[in-house]
Amino acid sequence: MSADMQREFANREALIAYLAQQFPQAAAAADEVPPVPGGRRAAEARLKQITPGKAYSASRNYLNGAVSRLSPYLRHGVLSLAEVRDAALEQAADPAEVEKFINELAWRDYWQRVYRAMGDGIWEDVEAYKTGYAAAEYAADLPEDVAAGRTGLACMDAFSRDLRETGYLHNHARMWLAAYLIHWRRVRWQAGARWFLTHLLDGDPASNNLSWQWVGSTFSSKPYYFNREALEKFTDGRYCRACPLYRTQRCPFEGSYEALAERLFPYAEVAAEAAPPPRKKR
Amino acid sequence: MQTILWIHGDNLSPQNPVFQAAPGAPAIFVWDEALLRDWHISLKRIVFMYECLLELPVTIRRGEVAREVVAFAHEHAARRILTADSPAPLHRRLCRQMSQHMPSGSRLEILHETSFVDVPGNIDLKRFSRYWQSVKKRALNP
């Protein structure tokens, strides 16, 4: 039997110092602190601020869009999916007005159900890659330059830094970073999934791993990828403007979807048939 | 029957069904040291979860989860452990370990919170689109 851990703290700094001392391995690996507080009170305050109607559906794909930021609270059951859905419905005269928001909540419910059915199998490829490459052709480990945010790509380095420093990434940024790792760097999705679980405040094996598999195409019918134009649009150009590779051939994301598919998936049956349309973001 | 509550990281809410089922019963949360190590969980995640825990009436310990929870039950002469459900296979393994180490006549009960949507048992989970088509109407009109 271990001793009770402390429950009284003078302030947040004292709590953080205590936890860094109690969990030195975690602090040594990454000593950043969460920018958002945990707890039901904070969760309820954030729930009151959601705008699940048109503001959400029209802007959610943009990094500065009206997303709820409820995911860490949902992940740890501080809020339930049902009560967040009910709060969204309260703001709508017609449920259709908040359908997209509820559809996104449903993704979490779906991943949880798949997790219950698959168990630890979510760490294995659910299906084969549809990229033209076999799993063995992907590297097992996370490249150091990606982990450290030193790839030289302004967007990816910023996402890497945000992940480490804040424990949060917008969903679109997660997808771009995952696609970059899997399809451009040809790294197995498991390496990226483990990295995300270390840092994301909402890190949940089900949503995380299965979303990585969705990007990788081991749990979807084709790989998700993107191009520089799309990234620039949904980030309002903030990374592209700061990137020395902007609109040069050295930007690995520069080009049409067709050209990128030929470069990334030259052996894929789907890509070889016809250039795939850009994947619809979920 | 004297009861204790086992609180885990998938349900850190004061609305947790176990708090409703046995108000005032002693509750415990155990930091799973093996999990923190294996998953390289960063300090910020620990801080966030700890702040959730500080709003709950719960004793916080660390170590091997099943062993700590059973010891806590023993301290309180409890023969009944209540916990909230989780889809994680680790949760099932821990429940099994606890059941094996509890004295005879004890029982462990797993409680479910209100689900997002009730679905038929044979629902097709191969792709999200199929799931969504099955549940959409009920999800939007609970």
Side-chain angles (χ1 to χ4, degrees), chain A residues 1 5-6 12 109-110, chain B residues 50-51 60 75 125 131:
Chain A
M1 185 189 80
M5 293 186 72
Q6 190 174 324
R12 197 175 197 229
D109 185 64
Y110 171 69
Chain B
Y50 213 98
E51 286 177 322
I60 307 170
E75 282 168 45
L125 294 174
Y131 155 89

Side-chain angles (χ1 to χ4, degrees), chain A residues 109-150:
Chain A
D109 185 64
Y110 171 69
W111 296 136
Q112 296 285 298
R113 290 177 189 279
V114 174
Y115 192 26
R116 194 177 289 280
M118 293 183 55
D120 290 323
I122 62 163
W123 285 99
E124 309 295 328
D125 299 346
V126 177
E127 301 162 12
Y129 284 90
K130 286 93 183 173
T131 54
Y133 296 106
E137 294 176 270
Y138 290 80
D141 298 321
L142 185 69
E144 184 51 39
D145 64 331
V146 176
R150 283 199 291 268

Side-chain angles (χ1 to χ4, degrees), chain A residues 1-2 4-7 12 22 38 40 75-76 85 109-110 113 116 164 197-200 203, chain B residues 9-10 12 40 42 44-45 50-51 55-56 58 60-62 75 85 116-117 125 127 131 139:
Chain A
M1 185 189 80
S2 67
D4 291 359
M5 293 186 72
Q6 190 174 324
R7 286 194 54 103
R12 197 175 197 229
Q22 288 289 317
R40 176 79 187 183
R75 187 268 172 257
H76 290 295
R85 181 259 319 278
D109 185 64
Y110 171 69
R113 290 177 189 279
R116 194 177 289 280
R164 205 169 49 249
L197 284 178
T198 289
H199 293 290
L200 286 174
Chain B
D10 289 345
L12 298 178
H40 303 284
S42 59
K44 55 189 166 299
R45 293 200 65 180
Y50 213 98
E51 286 177 322
E55 291 188 5
L56 304 178
V58 63
I60 307 170
R61 292 183 181 166
R62 56 189 296 174
E75 282 168 45
D85 189 29
F116 174 67
V117 64
L125 294 174
R127 293 286 185 256
Y131 155 89

